[in-house]
Structures are given as structure tokens and as C-alpha cells.
Amino acid sequence: MTAGLIVSAARSGSGKTTVMLGLLRCLAEDGLAVQPFKCGPDYIDPAFHRAACGRASFNLDSWAMPMGLLTTQLARADGFALAEGSMGLFDGVAADGETGNGASADIAALTGWPVLLVLDVSGQAQTAAALTLGMAGFRDDVRVAGVILNRVASARHERLCRLAFQARGIPVLGALPRRGDLTIPERHLGLVQAAEHPDLETAIRSYAAFLRAHVDLDAVRAAARGGAVPGTGGRPVPPPGQRIALAQDQAFSFVYPHLLDGWLRQGAEVLTFSPLADQPPPDADVCWLPGGYPELHAGRIAGAARFLDGLRRFAATRPVHGECGGYMVLGRALIDAAGTSHPMAGLLGLVTSYQQRRMHLGYRLARLSDPMPGLPAGTRLRGHEFHYSAILDQPDAALAQVEDADGAAVAETGSRRGRVTGTFFHLIAQAA
């Protein structure tokens, strides 16, 4: 197993992503072949990772991915591996998945990669060391290699923190002064997409320069370790067709990199098109509409006559599938935040409203009641759902029986009408 580190924290909002992007750029500039990963089901951060180091970033998920798929992902780490955690280091769901509960700590234990904690020390000093000491001893199979102090208020503040860590034998590998200008814009599903950032390259250069000035990069590199990962390569999700028409633009961008990579490795051809540019699906065996932000572009999508007409013609003879935002566009109408109802493709009877905001967030375990492209009825799938739209009408046949990680049934069962299917969950892997 290649040497690597997990960049994690005690909670969300501590500065993991800023540190991750800065480290990726610094290591790449220093000539390392650095392989980024993202712990958990996030589909926005990997695009930022790629922009920072020039290499595709892949998800590592201990709840949703079987060991074989995790092993396949980890085999990509042919240089220095750097994985960004999600939420806090030990945060996951109550019920274990096939290899864990979804916590970043599971990946640290599996790979042997030590944890580099990013600590927001605003409003505290010596207590940060006490919290870290507790985290360092929480699991015997997870090792904390050191910390980077973030949002340090002054030289005195830094000295107090360092003295406390030194007394407990915890290495401080950097101390980042408080700066309000090094933030990444956010919206309701997290960070804005990398492609929408007003000047991402300038921002990443700023993060890298900031870390070079305040972090011991040699010590970070020296802290990396690796271990042996059990298991062999697993089966990827089969492609939904030989030629796949894939919607790709700012409204349809949430596709897990490992999913596309798996399709391509199995010989499928992916043909992209842009609904926002009013492009119809190209000639293919199946059309796939991923999630994204259609609620922000509902009027434009409703007015994209060539796209909608082409999609309807496509669905008359070939399968079409939509995930989350793509599922909403396949429906009858989408109501935006202002309460305006926009007609969608009408291939399903689904009506959704972003005006009646309600967060839907969590892992999903589904058993298909009917087939969907590439997958027969009865297939068990693991995925993740995250959106704020409310279902006002869902009249079509349920595509699947869907449960959350605790085994409770959820109402977002997906839909099937003829050749058209859709789900609110984003597919990650087949369940065992």
C-alpha cells in the first residue's frame, strides 16, 4: 500500500478543504505524483482536488463500497496518497455497511494512513490539545500523526496551543493565521462547483502559498505511512449501455468519478451533451441524466425545446435514467424557490418543489422492484441522497424499495414508467 495521509478534523467547517487543496498543489509543485481521494459520498470536492493537482480524485466509502471496490480504488494510489475526510474523523452512521459505518476513521484503519488533523482553534487554546488527545485514543487502529492549527488569532495564541500539544507529545505541523479571504463559496448542497468558482486557479495558488508559509511540508511528507489492504478487485457497477449519452453541464454534474471510470473500463463509450446549451441527447443506447442544480436553472431547462423534444424522442425507443436533479427534470414540473412552476420533460409524473425546502440527507440501500438500465430487478444497490426538494406528486410505479442506513423505509422510492426510470439517490455501488 502506498504511503499516504488522511486530512481530517473534529467537525465540518474546520478548514479541511483549504488545507487539502493547498497541500495537493504544494506536493504536485514539488514533483510528487500525488493521488487525491475523498472519504465519503461527496461528489463536489473531487473536482476541486483534480484542479489542484491535475489527477482525478476518487471516493472511498466504508458504508457504501464493498471491500473489492475499495481495493480497486486504492490501487490507483501509485504515488503519495492524500485523502480528504468528511465531517469529523469518527462521524458516520449508526449501522455498519459492508466495511464500516462511513467514517473517515474506517479508511484510516483500512489503509494504515495516519491522520493529519486540521483544528479550528478559534475560541480555545490548550483545550485543542485535550480534544486531540481524546481523538488520538478513540480507536486503537487509527493513528493521529499530527495537527495543523487553523484560524490562529495571534503569536501568543499560537504559543499557548503549541505548548499544550508539546506537553502531550502531539506534533504541530503547522499554524495557519486567521484569514477571512481564504474561503470557498458555498450554496445549499455545499461548495459551489469547481467549474463555477470565479477564479479557482488563483484561489488554489493562494492556498498553496499560505501553506508554504505556515506549514512544515517536509514533516507532512515524512508523516505519511502505508499498510497492506486485504481483498482483491471487486466488480464495478455494470454500464447502463454500450454507448451512454451523459448530460454534463452546471445543472447536471454530480457523477461519481469511480462510476464513470468503471463504465469506461468495461468498454462503454460515454458521449456528453449539455441540456443548458439546448443540446438533445446524442445517438446512444441509453441516456443518463445525473444530479446537479436544475432548480437554479429551471426556467432555462423548461425553455430548452431541442433538449426536451430530443429527450422525449430518445425515450420512445431507448432507456432513460435520472438521478436526483436528473430525476426531477424527467418529471412533470419543477417549482423553484420563488414558487414558479416550470414544465419539465413529462416522461414521469413526478412534481417537485424547491420552494417547500426540506433537507433529505443520508445513505440509501435499495432493492430494485423493476429493472433500470444495466441492472435487473432484485439488484441491491447502495447510494446516497442529498437534496432540499419536496415531492408534491409521485404517481408512477415505485422503482425500488428504499431504506436509510438504519433500515427505516424512505418515501423517495424512485419511479418507473416504460423505459424511463429515476431515483433521488445517487448510485455508488452494488450491495453484496
Side-chain angles (χ1 to χ4, degrees):
M1 187 65 217
T2 188
L5 289 169
I6 307 277
V7 178
S8 192
R11 60 176 176 80
S12 297
S14 298
K16 292 191 303 288
T17 300
T18 299
V19 170
M20 177 74 175
L21 297 181
L23 284 177
L24 285 173
R25 176 57 60 88
C26 288
L27 295 172
E29 288 175 345
D30 291 345
L32 266 70
V34 57
Q35 175 59 56
F37 293 99
K38 175 65 183 184
C39 299
D42 187 286
Y43 29 68
I44 295 178
D45 285 350
F48 282 90
H49 297 172
R50 183 167 196 157
C53 71
R55 296 182 69 170
S57 177
F58 295 92
N59 297 77
L60 302 171
D61 194 309
S62 69
W63 187 89
M65 292 179 172
M67 180 60 77
L69 180 54
L70 277 171
T71 303
T72 299
Q73 301 290 77
L74 291 168
R76 304 174 188 281
D78 57 353
F80 187 100
L82 202 62
E84 181 181 358
S86 60
M87 300 179 64
L89 175 60
F90 302 102
D91 296 328
V93 294
D96 284 355
E98 296 186 34
T99 57
N101 73 341
S104 303
D106 291 339
I107 304 303
L110 173 69
T111 59
W113 295 337
V115 175
L116 176 60
L117 284 176
V118 180
L119 299 177
D120 179 356
V121 295
S122 57
Q124 61 181 203
Q126 291 95 331
T127 301
L131 292 172
T132 303
L133 198 63
M135 295 177 70
F138 193 74
R139 280 181 60 166
D140 293 338
D141 56 356
V142 174
R143 187 173 77 85
V144 174
V147 301
I148 292 178
L149 309 178
N150 192 23
R151 301 181 184 126
V152 177
S154 65
R156 177 178 179 274
H157 185 202
E158 179 181 341
R159 181 175 63 84
L160 290 172
C161 291
R162 282 185 178 274
L163 286 172
F165 281 97
Q166 182 179 352
R168 298 298 183 271
I170 301 171
V172 176
L173 305 185
L176 305 177
R178 183 182 298 161
R179 280 183 59 175
D181 61 324
L182 293 180
T183 58
I184 304 176
E186 297 187 32
R187 59 161 64 105
H188 54 282
L189 296 185
L191 302 178
V192 300
Q193 299 174 87
E196 297 178 283
H197 194 285
D199 194 350
L200 182 56
E201 176 58 25
T202 297
I204 292 174
R205 285 201 301 265
S206 297
Y207 304 153
F210 190 45
L211 263 66
R212 283 195 186 279
H214 300 286
V215 173
D216 186 343
L217 295 175
D218 289 338
V220 169
R221 291 173 59 170
R225 297 287 186 276
V229 177
T232 57
R235 57 174 183 174
V237 174
Q242 177 62 36
R243 288 166 54 87
I244 306 165
L246 179 72
Q248 281 283 270
D249 54 33
Q250 291 184 5
F252 303 89
S253 59
F254 294 164
V255 181
Y256 287 115
H258 76 272
L259 199 66
L260 286 183
D261 184 74
W263 292 347
L264 293 172
R265 286 173 179 265
Q266 293 174 85
E269 182 180 2
V270 176
L271 310 171
T272 61
F273 68 103
S274 170
L276 289 183
D278 202 13
Q279 296 174 352
D283 183 35
D285 301 313
V286 62
C287 181
W288 192 279
L289 302 183
Y293 289 104
E295 67 271 17
L296 302 181
H297 307 276
R300 191 170 166 188
I301 294 171
R306 290 182 66 244
F307 159 63
L308 292 173
D309 289 344
L311 184 65
R312 293 173 187 126
R313 288 194 299 272
F314 193 105
T317 57
R318 288 157 291 180
V320 175
H321 182 75
E323 287 189 334
C324 199
Y327 178 36
M328 292 190 282
V329 171
L330 292 176
R332 193 167 76 249
L334 193 164
I335 300 170
D336 64 21
T340 303
S341 180
H342 302 274
M344 294 288 107
L347 295 171
L348 296 170
L350 182 72
V351 177
T352 53
S353 172
Y354 183 64
Q355 184 185 33
Q356 300 181 25
R357 285 174 58 113
R358 181 188 169 196
M359 186 173 73
H360 302 260
L361 172 64
Y363 286 117
R364 299 292 183 256
L365 177 62
R367 182 185 295 275
L368 293 178
S369 304
D370 286 307
M372 60 176 273
L375 297 166
T379 303
R380 296 173 73 246
L381 305 173
R382 288 181 182 260
H384 188 264
E385 181 177 347
F386 186 17
H387 63 93
Y388 282 87
S389 297
I391 296 176
L392 302 188
D393 196 12
Q394 188 177 253
D396 300 301
L399 176 63
Q401 297 173 317
V402 184
E403 300 175 349
D404 64 16
D406 295 320
V410 298
E412 293 77 25
T413 59
S415 303
R416 178 179 180 88
R417 179 190 290 179
R419 298 180 178 86
V420 181
T421 56
T423 64
F424 262 120
F425 67 83
H426 296 257
L427 174 61
I428 296 176
Q430 285 185 250

